[in-house]
């Protein structure tokens, strides 16, 4: 078989055609599902965070978005608000800095009230051979991803406990948080910690009315992620070829899942880690899945060879 393997290029077989899995881009939940609710979204100015904010706002939530770049946040807040008619506020916050997190959360509470939904989406990542990383590179990624999530969760959680209010927390991780992955080692390590944090608090803080869930997205094309994870554009085709659904995910699909998990329709979902990757993870990990590349003629030959071994 392996002598075939070296000769075969990836081909688009039926199983890899995306026509079977077109993305539905419209809102899944009924209108006003988040009416009267407050949502706090870190990294809400761009990419996935912006997409989740847009959907929550269109479903009636009052959204507060936070990140380092206040200009980007304000432009996003104004744009979404003008589309949905619902207020979106921008709060500057570097999640690595616990003092900034504290003041951002107090600003959140003063402009919008305690949140019903908290989405830990802010992240930092870039591909790099691990031996090239300085201690500061390691600290930068793990600070944003793990410590940032912990600081936001602790600060909001303590305020909610004090006020005897519940909330739905959601963290955005990645499929390699479980498997680990070379070339993104600080991110893999930190995202694994984020999952442990959320599963642990799902157990501990359920008694305070808080739920904690995680989405592990596979590749979804956003500028922030792809400029750091596929800077030349060379890997995109390779990624698509290993996604059984035959295409990348979309921001709108992720937003629908996120909104569902944070809504009252999901009030019994707690401590869940949901893989959202078109089947990429199972494809990568299944030992024989590269047989996808084998052509019909090659199967005929192999079947013949296998049948010949009968009785031997
Ligand atoms: N390869 C190796 N090291 C790198 C690097 C790369 N491509 N990019 C940055 N670093 C190192 C820097 O050299 C620095 O270490 P040093 O002080 O020892 O030299 C350290 O990482 C911090 O970099 P810096 O640019 O100062 O950090 P920052 O706080 O300004 O930016 C990043 C943080 C690097 C994560 C930046 O990419 C970012 O702002 N990302 C946010 C969005 C994002 O990453 N989205 C993708 C999510 S999938």
């Amino acid at each position: 078989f392996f002598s075939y393997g070296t000769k075969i290029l990836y081909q688009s077989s039926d199983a890899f055609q995306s026509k079977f899995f077109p993305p539905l881009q419209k809102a899944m939940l009924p209108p006003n599902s988040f009416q009267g609710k407050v949502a706090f979204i870190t990294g809400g100015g761009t990419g996935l965070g912006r997409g989740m904010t847009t959907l929550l706002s269109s479903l009636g939530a009052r959204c507060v978005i936070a990140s380092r770049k206040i200009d980007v946040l304000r432009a996003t807040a104004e744009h979404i608000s003008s589309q949905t008619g619902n207020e979106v506020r921008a709060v500057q916050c570097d999640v690595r800095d616990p003092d900034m997190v504290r003041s951002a959360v107090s600003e959140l509470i003063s402009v919008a009230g305690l949140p019903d939904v908290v989405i830990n989406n802010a992240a930092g990542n870039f591909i790099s051979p691990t031996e090239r990383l300085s201690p500061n590179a390691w600290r930068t990624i793990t600070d944003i991803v793990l410590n940032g999530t912990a600081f936001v969760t602790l600060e909001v959680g303590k305020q909610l406990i004090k006020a005897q209010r519940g909330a739905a927390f959601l963290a955005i991780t990645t499929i390699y948080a479980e498997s680990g992955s070379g070339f993104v080692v600080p991110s893999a390590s930190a995202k694994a910690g984020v999952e442990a944090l959320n599963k642990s608090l799902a157990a501990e803080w359920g008694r305070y009315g808080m739920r904690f869930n995680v989405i592990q997205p596979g590749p979804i094309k956003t500028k922030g992620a792809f400029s750091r994870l596929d800077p030349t554009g060379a890997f995109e085709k390779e990624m698509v070829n290993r996604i059984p659904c035959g295409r990348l995910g979309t921001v709108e699909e992720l937003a629908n899942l996120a909104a569902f998990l944070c809504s009252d329709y999901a009030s019994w979902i707690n401590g869940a880690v949901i893989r959202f990757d078109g089947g990429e993870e199972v494809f990568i990990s299944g030992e024989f899945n590269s047989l996808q590349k084998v052509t019909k003629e090659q199967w005929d030959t192999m079947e013949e060879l296998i049948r010949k071994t009968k009785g031997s």
Side-chain angles (χ1 to χ4, degrees):
F1 165 71
F2 287 109
S3 62
Y4 293 127
T6 55
K7 286 182 198 154
I8 298 163
L9 291 173
Y10 268 111
Q11 57 182 23
S12 185
S13 70
D14 283 351
F16 280 86
Q17 282 174 13
S18 60
K19 68 180 179 186
F20 295 117
F21 304 102
L24 271 182
Q25 306 293 79
K26 58 183 188 214
M28 175 182 78
L29 293 175
N32 303 322
S33 294
F34 285 87
Q35 202 65 48
K37 305 235 181 197
V38 172
F40 183 54
I41 302 106
T42 67
T46 55
L48 302 183
R50 181 185 170 121
M52 290 186 282
T53 305
T54 303
L55 180 57
L56 291 171
S57 177
S58 76
L59 292 170
R62 179 190 282 189
C63 293
V64 178
I65 53 179
S67 76
R68 284 175 299 173
K69 295 183 185 150
I70 192 68
D71 293 348
V72 174
L73 282 178
R74 284 200 182 120
T76 297
E78 264 172 41
H79 181 78
I80 295 176
S81 190
S82 71
Q83 281 192 326
T84 64
N86 292 315
E87 191 184 15
V88 181
R89 300 293 287 251
V91 174
Q92 190 168 27
C93 180
D94 185 338
V95 293
R96 292 175 278 194
D97 178 347
D99 291 335
M100 258 187 123
V101 170
R102 199 171 308 121
S103 56
V105 170
S106 85
E107 195 177 335
L108 154 74
I109 295 168
S110 74
V111 299
L114 281 162
D116 303 281
V117 171
V118 180
I119 304 186
N120 278 298
N121 163 73
N125 197 5
F126 52 78
I127 46 169
S128 178
T130 307
E131 65 274 20
R132 289 188 180 216
L133 298 177
S134 67
N136 192 38
W138 179 273
R139 190 169 27 223
T140 299
I141 302 303
T142 54
D143 258 0
I144 298 170
V145 175
L146 178 54
N147 291 337
T149 300
F151 296 152
V152 169
T153 305
L154 283 176
E155 190 55 37
V156 177
K158 286 175 190 174
Q159 300 290 344
L160 289 167
I161 291 168
K162 216 191 302 171
Q164 300 189 341
R165 286 268 307 267
F169 286 74
L170 178 69
I172 306 300
T173 62
T174 162
I175 53 171
Y176 61 72
E178 263 176 60
S179 60
S181 175
F183 305 98
V184 281
V185 174
S187 167
S189 308
K191 294 282 195 185
V194 168
E195 294 194 353
L197 170 76
N198 278 273
K199 287 187 284 188
S200 304
L201 287 178
E204 190 183 332
W205 282 359
R207 62 189 166 147
Y208 298 126
M210 288 181 240
R211 299 189 289 118
F212 293 82
N213 293 300
V214 173
I215 300 176
Q216 301 174 320
I220 296 173
K221 197 166 182 176
T222 63
K223 190 162 161 266
F226 270 52
S227 62
R228 295 175 177 97
L229 303 179
D230 186 13
T232 64
F235 306 128
E236 185 174 333
K237 190 162 182 291
E238 216 174 291
M239 282 179 213
V240 172
N241 279 331
R242 60 179 189 233
I243 297 174
C245 288
R247 61 172 173 84
L248 302 178
T250 69
V251 175
E252 290 78 7
E253 288 174 295
L254 176 92
N256 264 327
L257 177 58
F260 167 67
L261 288 173
C262 294
S263 76
D264 293 340
Y265 293 94
S267 60
W268 212 53
I269 302 182
N270 184 27
V273 179
I274 295 176
R275 201 187 292 144
F276 177 71
D277 70 345
E280 185 186 24
E281 175 63 25
V282 289
F283 184 82
I284 297 167
S285 59
E287 191 169 11
F288 287 93
N289 287 336
S290 59
L291 293 178
Q292 192 76 44
K293 293 177 282 188
V294 175
T295 63
K296 183 176 173 303
E297 292 68 34
Q298 289 163 342
W299 274 120
D300 290 343
T301 310
M302 287 202 286
E303 184 174 337
E304 217 175 291
L305 291 169
I306 294 166
R307 286 185 184 281
K308 273 190 197 154
T309 63
K310 202 174 173 184
S312 65

